[in-house]
Amino acid sequence: VLASFVILFRDGFRDKDNATVHILKRQKTMNNTETWDPISTFISDVFETVQDERGKLVANPFREGQYTFEDVWAIVQAISERYGRWQNAECDEMTGVLSAMD
């Protein structure tokens, strides 16, 4: 769910109602390790931060690996709030690398 949210968020929620297009974009993004690895790390970092802020997130006792709506909502909000800063840091890093090449 979080991966799908970030992929939609990055794309400005275009085609949000087209499951087929989203699945294809998700597969393409996740198969490109150069793109996906930093995004995956970002999601994991936000998840861990929210978990620390809220105390251990409680999984749904009726389904293995499932979290409450409130927990997922807190993570989605945190991703929305922190994505711009994270992306900007990535741009700054790339600017530094390109400047060093000059």
Side-chain angles (χ1 to χ4, degrees), residues 84-100:
R85 287 184 300 236
W86 173 78
Q87 189 178 38
N88 190 48
E90 197 176 50
C91 289
D92 290 345
E93 182 181 325
M94 186 176 291
T95 299
V97 169
L98 292 173
S99 294

Side-chain angles (χ1 to χ4, degrees), residues 2 20 25 29-30 32 36 40 53 58 61 79 82 89 96 102:
L2 295 175
T20 304
K25 284 182 182 179
T29 301
M30 293 177 90
N32 181 342
W36 182 246
S40 178
E53 291 169 355
V58 180
I79 287 171
R82 298 169 191 177
D102 278 345

Side-chain angles (χ1 to χ4, degrees), residues 16-33:
K16 69 181 179 349
D17 297 321
N18 189 331
T20 304
V21 170
H22 173 69
I23 289 167
L24 292 172
K25 284 182 182 179
R26 185 171 189 243
Q27 288 172 340
K28 183 178 178 182
T29 301
M30 293 177 90
N31 287 335
N32 181 342
T33 57

